[in-house]
Amino acid sequence: MSIETKSVGGQRHYFRTADPATSYPSVTSVVDGVSKPFLQRWAAGMAADLALDAPDYIARLAAEDRKEARRYLVGAADRYKRMRGTIGTRVHDVAEIALRTGTVPDIVHPDVRMYLPGLRAFIDAVQPQLVRAEETVWSDTYGYAGRFDAWLRVRLNDDWKPDPGGTPRLLLTDLKTSKSQQNSVALQLAAYAHADKVISADGTESELPAFDDGALLHIGHDGVPTFRRVDMGDEVFQHFLSLLDNYRWGRVTSRRVLGDVIWQGGAA
């Protein structure tokens, strides 16, 4: 039984092809509900930069169609996020090839090239073994689904440092190419780790293993790689479930709580 995705209210939902009427929100859609007040200022700054960098074009556009000019300015942040998302997807594709083969491809899209030295340095220093990658986790218990980046087996010593003679540890790993490291990755990994099952591309379902820990591989805009542990325990998972409740309130419950009008007065 295969798994597909669809947009529900602008957010990604997962569903089984045999039961398309039942869909669960994606982990990332739920985690995106974390309050990030700084993003409002950042989005406003993107629009302001666009207006300041191209004043003549914006003025001409506004003279022809004010609504279109406004739409173009307001959409600056979303266009940037889509562009960064495309780059992130390309880096993930290259990383999966590199982790499977142990070799980082040399000829790739120019947007990805800056991340290759960091990826090579990580593979050389840590020597990770890829167990599974880019598969779906599913939770009927709580009603969510998601797609993890990788399960990596890494030999680490008692201080959790790379060591060829160290203990093999299974790490649920997320790869990020954002400008900075965000603690919300813990919510993602906790959700993946506490799901009911993992579903492969051919529809085969199996139980999740006992992970030794979560991990974040971050290669920032400066190309510097960082590999660090991430707490994905029960406390973090409870915070994710709170966000899941908030998501359902905002997307489902809140839209049906106001009932029929009993009485309404006329205009003053």
Coordinates of all heavy atoms in Angstrom, one line a residue, residues 9 19 32 52 77 113 157 167 188 227 238 260:
G9 N -5.5 22.9 2.9 CA -5.4 24.2 3.4 C -4.0 24.8 3.3 O -3.5 25.5 4.2
D19 N -6.9 4.6 1.0 CA -7.9 5.3 1.8 C -7.6 6.8 1.7 O -7.2 7.4 2.7 CB -7.8 4.8 3.3 CG -8.8 5.5 4.2 OD1 -9.8 6.1 3.7 OD2 -8.5 5.6 5.4
D32 N 6.0 23.7 11.9 CA 6.0 25.1 11.4 C 5.1 26.0 12.3 O 5.1 27.2 12.1 CB 5.6 25.1 10.0 CG 6.7 24.7 9.1 OD1 7.9 24.7 9.5 OD2 6.4 24.4 7.9
L52 N 13.6 48.7 -2.1 CA 14.7 49.6 -2.2 C 15.7 49.2 -3.3 O 16.4 50.1 -3.9 CB 15.5 49.6 -0.8 CG 14.7 50.2 0.3 CD1 15.4 49.9 1.7 CD2 14.5 51.7 0.2
A77 N 9.4 37.1 0.6 CA 9.8 36.2 1.6 C 9.5 34.7 1.1 O 10.3 33.8 1.2 CB 9.3 36.4 2.9
R113 N 27.1 23.3 -5.0 CA 28.6 23.1 -4.9 C 29.2 23.5 -3.6 O 30.1 22.9 -3.1 CB 29.2 23.7 -6.1 CG 30.6 23.3 -6.4 CD 31.1 23.8 -7.8 NE 30.3 23.1 -8.8 CZ 29.8 23.7 -9.9 NH1 30.0 25.0 -10.0 NH2 29.2 23.1 -10.8
N157 N 32.9 6.8 20.6 CA 33.5 6.3 21.8 C 32.6 6.8 23.0 O 31.5 7.3 22.8 CB 34.9 6.9 22.0 CG 35.0 8.4 22.0 OD1 34.0 9.1 22.4 ND2 36.1 8.9 21.6
T167 N 31.7 2.2 19.8 CA 30.4 1.5 19.8 C 29.5 1.9 18.7 O 29.3 3.1 18.5 CB 29.7 1.7 21.2 OG1 30.5 1.3 22.2 CG2 28.4 1.0 21.2
Q188 N 10.9 17.7 15.3 CA 10.7 16.8 14.1 C 11.2 15.4 14.4 O 10.5 14.4 14.2 CB 11.6 17.3 13.0 CG 11.0 18.4 12.2 CD 11.9 18.8 11.0 OE1 12.6 19.8 11.0 NE2 11.9 18.0 10.0
F227 N 28.0 18.3 13.2 CA 27.2 17.1 13.5 C 27.0 17.0 15.0 O 28.0 16.9 15.8 CB 27.9 15.8 13.0 CG 27.1 14.6 13.0 CD1 25.9 14.5 12.4 CD2 27.7 13.4 13.6 CE1 25.2 13.3 12.4 CE2 27.0 12.2 13.6 CZ 25.7 12.2 13.0
Q238 N 6.2 15.3 23.9 CA 4.9 15.9 24.5 C 4.7 17.3 23.9 O 3.6 17.8 23.7 CB 5.0 15.9 26.0 CG 4.9 14.5 26.6 CD 3.6 13.8 26.2 OE1 2.5 14.4 26.2 NE2 3.8 12.6 25.8
D260 N -24.9 28.5 14.3 CA -26.0 29.3 13.6 C -26.2 30.6 14.4 O -26.2 30.6 15.7 CB -27.3 28.5 13.5 CG -27.1 27.4 12.5 OD1 -26.2 27.3 11.7 OD2 -28.0 26.4 12.6

